[in-house]
Amino acid sequence: IPVLPPSVNITYTFLHLWHHLVELGVGLRQFCDLAVLLKELYESDDREEQRLLAVNLERLGFTKAFEAVACVLVDTIGLPRESVSVALRPRGSRYVAPILDIVFRRGNFGQYGRKERIRSGWRYYVESMRIKLSHYVRFYLLAPRENTAVILKSIPARVVMAFRRQKDCRK
């Protein structure tokens, strides 16, 4: 079965986790998936793939975000520190509590910790927008390029799309 190289697989898995984390929420299981991949890469002793992971994260502007998530893996889940292919600096540990707050309050992919249960209607969109903006602002410094793009481009586009959808539903 064709599979991605470990550095690409870890990068992709991390970015997918990150997207859900800063959007509406993510479950702890996704952190465990990332921990397993990192542990396998460490145990393979493939220095080139470990180097490529760091290069991928740096080029994409996600090194700090990865460090913060890796601190959750090490401090909370128990992944051995040496299994993480990037340096873990103290700044990453500052984000462990806020990340876990989202995990435990928002639940699996944002299904929990919300007032609006039905995923449509203007109240849902307003609540989702508030949650997303608070997450992007909270983690702005971990991935400033990505967060700026989302705040200035993606979120406004989604607002317009939501209003159009509401308008079409009324017809």
Side-chain angles (χ1 to χ4, degrees):
I1 299 172
V3 295
L4 295 170
S7 59
V8 176
N9 194 15
I10 292 169
T11 302
Y12 178 82
T13 302
F14 163 73
L15 291 174
H16 190 86
L17 178 156
W18 183 259
H19 168 76
H20 284 289
L21 175 72
V22 296
E23 282 286 312
L24 292 174
V26 68
L28 200 54
R29 191 188 125 236
Q30 285 64 40
F31 287 84
C32 294
D33 291 345
L34 185 59
V36 167
L37 293 173
L38 285 167
K39 191 167 188 291
E40 286 178 5
L41 176 59
Y42 171 74
E43 288 175 353
S44 74
D45 202 31
D46 189 336
R47 300 279 185 227
E48 181 61 13
E49 282 297 313
Q50 292 172 1
R51 186 190 71 76
L52 287 173
L53 173 60
V55 168
N56 291 344
L57 294 168
E58 184 65 34
R59 285 182 179 165
L60 294 169
F62 278 96
T63 301
K64 291 177 187 175
F66 186 84
E67 287 175 18
V69 168
C71 285
V72 171
L73 301 179
V74 170
D75 297 348
T76 305
I77 294 177
L79 179 70
R81 190 182 250 334
E82 63 273 8
S83 296
V84 179
S85 299
V86 298
L88 294 182
R89 293 179 269 266
R91 68 179 177 211
S93 293
R94 292 186 306 215
Y95 290 95
V96 170
I99 288 171
L100 290 176
D101 177 56
I102 290 171
V103 169
F104 294 126
R105 192 157 36 111
R106 300 278 173 230
N108 234 8
F109 306 108
Q111 292 183 30
Y112 305 107
R114 326 175 47 106
K115 292 178 183 173
E116 297 299 318
R117 296 287 179 218
I118 299 172
R119 297 184 75 140
S120 65
W122 70 270
R123 286 187 182 123
Y124 167 78
Y125 291 111
V126 169
E127 181 183 28
S128 295
M129 178 73 63
R130 183 189 57 74
I131 292 168
K132 290 175 186 184
L133 277 173
S134 72
H135 291 180
Y136 278 105
V137 169
R138 178 184 263 182
F139 299 120
Y140 182 81
L141 294 176
L142 294 178
R145 185 174 32 176
E146 173 72 12
N147 292 341
T148 299
V150 170
I151 291 168
L152 296 180
K153 185 174 182 198
S154 181
I155 290 178
R158 290 179 192 172
V159 169
V160 170
M161 186 172 49
F163 279 114
R164 285 185 182 152
R165 209 176 301 151
Q166 286 292 19
K167 184 179 169 184
D168 291 344
C169 288
R170 291 182 185 156
K171 289 182 179 181

